[in-house]
């Protein structure tokens, strides 16, 4: 399918709250010939839709926010809603999101403004964050699957597997900042690795997400972002592009 015929609609909002006519923003991304007229068509007094050309960044971030929202829910439940723990998690997960996006988009939009707000609200109150909380509290089990009655599909579960497998390919090796050797990109994403072990491999319990926050290397999350921004990381082959 041509990229010209693909559109993305999303933004800093919760679907149920839009339904209740709470004021919200969203973005529609894709080819100009489609996104501009559709933005006007969708716009309502309580639902403002902007148009944007960066389809890939929004699609990637749209998938990643669901991945990391599950971990955010786990952290919230395991720390009794500790604001400090949730903030530490937010710093690490957003640095991983930026790192991953630089592999998939040539000039990705910065994680700021509506993109950052979209991540924030999903980590705060999306169905994926709820799912992470319920798993950590023992009120749901992985054996119940990722389609939950009353909530629908928990998109983040399959996305964890997809991103992990994508970033594990040995052909995508990137330089390790300390060991001076090439490693698969997923090796620089400890939270994604941990979520994969919890949700897909089922090797660890939800408690493992807290250990992933305790960065034994003492590296500032900013360093992961700088690696992505200062190296030729973009891999168009990941999305089947020449």
């Amino acid at each position: 399918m041509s990229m010209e015929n693909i559109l993305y609609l999303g933004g800093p909002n919760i679907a149920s709250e839009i339904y209740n006519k709470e004021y919200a923003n969203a973005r529609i991304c894709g080819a100009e010939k489609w996104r501009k007229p559709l933005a006007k068509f969708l716009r309502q007094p309580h639902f403002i839709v902007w148009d944007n050309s960066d389809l890939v960044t929004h699609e990637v971030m749209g998938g990643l926010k669901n991945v990391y929202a599950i971990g955010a829910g786990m952290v919230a439940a395991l720390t009794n809603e500790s604001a400090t723990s949730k903030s530490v998690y937010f710093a690490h997960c957003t640095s991983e999101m930026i790192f991953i996006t630089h592999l998939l988009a040539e000039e990705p939009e910065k994680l700021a403004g509506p993109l950052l707000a979209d991540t924030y609200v999903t980590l705060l109150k999306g169905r994926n964050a709820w799912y992470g909380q319920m798993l950590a509290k023992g009120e749901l089990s992985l054996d119940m699957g990722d389609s939950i009655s009353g909530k629908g599909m928990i998109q983040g579960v399959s996305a964890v597997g997809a991103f992990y497998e994508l970033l594990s390919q040995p052909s995508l090796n990137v330089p390790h900042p300390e060991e001076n050797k090439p490693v698969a990109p997923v090796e620089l994403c400890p939270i994604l690795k941990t979520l994969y072990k919890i949700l897909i491999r089922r090797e660890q319990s939800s408690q493992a997400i807290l250990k992933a926050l305790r960065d034994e290397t003492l590296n500032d999350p900013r360093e992961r972002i700088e690696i992505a921004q200062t190296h030729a990381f973009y891999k168009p082959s990941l999305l089947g592009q020449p």
Side-chain angles (χ1 to χ4, degrees):
M1 178 184 291
S2 169
M3 291 280 281
E4 271 202 355
N5 296 321
I6 298 175
L7 292 164
Y8 170 88
L9 175 66
N13 54 63
I14 298 294
S16 61
E17 296 179 353
I18 295 175
Y19 180 79
N20 291 331
K21 296 193 178 333
E22 294 187 29
Y23 182 79
N25 304 131
R27 276 177 168 174
I28 188 165
C29 307
E32 184 173 346
K33 67 178 181 179
W34 299 120
R35 72 175 194 264
K36 286 191 176 293
L38 281 171
K40 291 179 181 178
F41 174 75
L42 294 169
R43 198 170 292 144
Q44 301 290 327
H46 65 280
F47 185 56
I48 304 304
V49 181
W50 303 305
D51 71 280
N52 187 284
S53 62
D54 193 350
L55 173 66
V56 173
T57 298
H58 286 77
E59 284 279 15
V60 173
M61 288 289 189
L64 288 172
K65 69 178 184 178
N66 293 326
V67 165
Y68 290 102
I70 295 177
M74 291 176 179
V75 170
L78 294 169
T79 64
N80 195 28
E81 298 287 347
S82 163
T84 298
S85 295
K86 290 192 288 185
S87 296
V88 171
Y89 179 84
F90 189 76
H92 284 285
C93 81
T94 51
S95 73
E96 289 190 17
M97 290 174 71
I98 292 168
F99 176 81
I100 294 167
T101 304
H102 273 79
L103 283 166
L104 296 165
E106 189 169 11
E107 294 181 5
E109 182 175 332
K110 290 182 179 179
L111 186 57
L115 269 177
L116 181 59
D118 192 6
T119 299
Y120 170 75
V121 76
T122 304
L123 269 59
L124 185 70
K125 196 186 172 180
R127 74 182 71 176
N128 292 279
W130 171 86
Y131 181 76
Q133 284 186 315
M134 294 300 104
L135 284 179
K137 291 178 179 178
E139 296 181 23
L140 288 177
S141 74
L142 292 171
D143 291 334
M144 297 170 70
D146 55 6
S147 182
I148 307 298
S149 178
K151 289 289 181 178
M153 179 63 68
I154 309 300
Q155 309 99 317
V157 177
S158 59
V160 166
F163 277 109
Y164 183 92
E165 291 171 14
L166 188 67
L167 300 175
S168 297
Q169 300 178 45
S171 60
L172 299 177
N173 283 350
V174 296
H176 193 285
E178 292 181 341
E179 299 177 12
N180 197 28
K181 67 176 184 180
V183 295
V186 75
E187 295 301 320
L188 301 182
C189 300
I191 294 177
L192 177 60
K193 283 181 63 179
T194 300
L195 288 170
Y196 183 78
K197 291 175 182 177
I198 296 170
L199 299 170
I200 308 301
R201 296 291 297 272
R202 304 189 184 186
E203 297 174 345
Q204 297 180 340
S205 71
S206 299
Q207 287 280 347
I209 199 70
L210 297 183
K211 188 175 187 303
L213 291 186
R214 299 187 177 99
D215 186 1
E216 296 174 359
T217 66
L218 304 182
N219 290 335
D220 188 319
R222 175 67 194 170
E223 294 178 26
R224 186 181 293 108
I225 297 172
E226 289 175 347
I227 291 169
Q229 292 176 336
T230 57
H231 291 74
F233 262 28
Y234 174 51
K235 308 286 186 182
S237 60
L238 282 173
L239 297 179
Q241 300 181 43

